[in-house]
Each structure stands twice: as C-alpha cells, then as structure tokens.
C-alpha cells in the first residue's frame, strides 16, 4: 500500500510493502528484500521472488530514502525517517520516529532503535542491539555482538545504548556492553565494560571518568 508518496521508477519492491504519506523514495532503493528464511520459502515454492507474497517493509509518513538503500522484509519504521546513500537495514528491525540512518550505515537485523536517533555515516550496528531514544552514533563507530568471533559458541548480544547516550567517531563497543543514560563515549575509545549513566568513557581500553558539567544534558536531536 502506497499513500500519496513519490517513488522513483528504478526502485525494486519485494513482498507487500506499506508506505505512508508524503514519502520520497529515490533511485535504486530496494524495499522488502527477502530474508534468508523467505528465500528458502521462495526456493521451496519454485517461484520468482518478485511474485512471492510476504510482509515487506512498513514505513511511516514523511520518509526520505536516498539512492542505493536496501530495507529488508519485516522492518517497521515510524515517521520522518531520513537515510543517506546506500544504507542497509536488515530484517526484524524496529525503528521509531525522526531517525537518521546515514550513508553506508549497516543495521544487521533484529535491532530495536528508538525515536530521535542520529546514526552518522559508516556506522555498523550488529544483530540484537538496542538503542533507546535520543542516541547519537558518530561516524565510523562500530558496535559488536560476538565476544569470541567464530571460535566458541556464543549467543550473539549487541550493546545496549540508553536514552541520550553519545558515541564518538571511530569508537568501538564490545558485545553486551551497556552505555548508560546520558553517558558519552569519546572518539576512538574501545569500550570493554559498562559505562554508568552520565559518565565519560575515554581511551583504549576505555577508562570511566566524570562527565564535565557542561555536557550533562540530553542530546538535542
């Protein structure tokens, strides 16, 4: 279902997509791209992906999705989404209102992202990550979810970023780490343990220090 929106003729639509009012979807965007599970169903049915019926992408009002972006099936997005170019949002991801997903961002599925979140260019967000409202992720920051990459069994668990947290450019946050409400992670930091609310993580490995009084306010997103 498409309600009074502008969709470029080069876009590819798979599954059954729901697009709100006043959306602008630009060149070579793909919506409803099939997950691995859906691809298995398509193969078993022996049909073309374009003709198979399944739940695609659901997008609210006033979105702007820039060229080359791909949104998988079972992605649900609120109002006023903005993407850069070539953003990738994989299946079973829930995104709130007024979220920016920058150029070349990868959101690797099964993620929960709140309202008024700003994700700058080249950020990587792994499977099973939670990001609450008013969080800022600086360019090239990396979140991880595998504590012992492919060496031993491990339940993939991404970080949890609480309301109003800020992560600086090129920072890395290890699996399962919680960044507390209003906390800040300095640029280039390697965060290996939880950061309490309204504290600052700085260095590699990061140390927890006091957050300057001037920075003790929620992000203005």
């Amino acid at each position: 279902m498409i309600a009074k929106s502008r969709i470029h003729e080069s876009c590819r639509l798979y599954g059954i997509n729901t697009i709100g009012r006043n959306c602008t979807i630009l060149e070579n965007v793909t919506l409803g791209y099939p997950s691995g599970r859906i691809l298995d169903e398509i193969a078993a049915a022996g049909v073309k992906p374009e003709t198979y019926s399944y739940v695609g992408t659901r997008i609210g009002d006033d979105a702007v999705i820039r060229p080359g972006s791909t949104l998988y099936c079972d992605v649900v997005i609120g109002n006023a989404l903005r993407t850069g170019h070539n953003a990738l949002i994989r299946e079973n991801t829930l995104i709130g209102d007024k979220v920016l997903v920058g150029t070349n961002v990868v959101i690797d599925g099964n993620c929960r992202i709140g309202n008024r979140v700003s994700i700058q260019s080249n950020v990587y967000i792994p499977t099973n990550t939670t990001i609450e409202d008013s969080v800022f992720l600086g360019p090239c920051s990396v979140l991880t979810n595998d504590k012992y990459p492919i060496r031993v069994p491990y339940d993939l668990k991404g970080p949890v970023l609480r309301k109003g947290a800020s992560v600086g450019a090129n920072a890395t946050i290890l699996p399962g780490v919680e960044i507390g409400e209003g906390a800040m992670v300095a640029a280039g930091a390697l965060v290996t343990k939880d950061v309490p609310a309204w504290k600052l993580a700085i260095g590699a490995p990061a140390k927890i220090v006091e957050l300057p009084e001037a920075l003790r306010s929620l992000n203005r997103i």
Side-chain angles (χ1 to χ4, degrees):
M1 181 178 69
I2 300 170
K4 294 183 179 179
S5 289
R6 298 164 295 280
I7 301 177
H8 194 273
E9 61 184 11
S10 64
C11 294
R12 297 292 300 272
L13 305 180
Y14 296 89
I16 301 171
N17 299 284
T18 302
I19 300 170
R21 295 181 181 276
N22 195 37
C23 293
T24 300
I25 301 176
L26 296 165
E27 297 91 337
N28 299 309
V29 167
T30 301
L31 298 181
Y33 193 84
S35 63
R37 177 182 63 82
I38 297 296
L39 286 173
D40 288 343
E41 292 179 8
I42 291 169
V47 298
K48 294 181 179 180
E50 295 85 353
T51 64
Y52 192 70
S53 180
Y54 59 92
V55 176
T57 306
R58 286 173 282 176
I59 302 169
D61 298 338
D62 302 313
V64 176
I65 303 178
R66 289 186 169 82
S69 296
T70 299
L71 283 63
Y72 272 57
C73 62
D74 296 312
V75 168
V76 179
I77 298 170
N79 297 325
L81 171 73
R82 296 290 186 274
T83 80
H85 297 256
N86 304 314
L88 174 64
I89 304 174
R90 291 200 54 176
E91 67 269 19
N92 300 319
T93 291
L94 178 63
I95 296 177
D97 297 332
K98 298 182 179 179
V99 173
L100 169 66
V101 179
T103 293
N104 296 326
V105 166
V106 175
I107 301 174
D108 233 350
N110 294 295
C111 293
R112 299 293 178 266
I113 297 173
N115 302 309
R116 299 177 306 281
V117 173
S118 180
I119 304 169
Q120 300 294 299
S121 296
N122 299 305
V123 170
Y124 177 71
I125 298 172
T127 301
N128 301 330
T129 294
T130 299
I131 298 173
E132 294 186 349
D133 295 347
S134 302
V135 168
F136 175 85
L137 284 165
C140 300
S141 53
V142 175
L143 314 184
T144 63
N145 68 354
D146 192 346
K147 198 170 185 179
Y148 311 104
I150 69 170
R151 292 297 175 93
V152 297
Y154 180 77
D155 291 334
L156 300 178
K157 184 179 180 182
V160 176
L161 278 60
R162 297 298 184 191
K163 181 179 179 181
S166 284
V167 178
N170 290 298
T172 300
I173 301 175
L174 294 194
V177 167
E178 181 171 316
I179 309 299
E181 179 176 342
M184 297 192 73
V185 174
L190 172 60
V191 184
T192 62
K193 59 184 179 181
D194 293 351
V195 180
W198 302 105
K199 298 292 184 181
L200 171 64
I202 185 168
K207 296 181 179 180
I208 309 301
V209 300
E210 293 298 319
L211 186 66
E213 188 65 32
L215 299 178
R216 288 178 167 267
S217 60
L218 289 176
N219 297 325
R220 299 174 182 176
I221 298 174

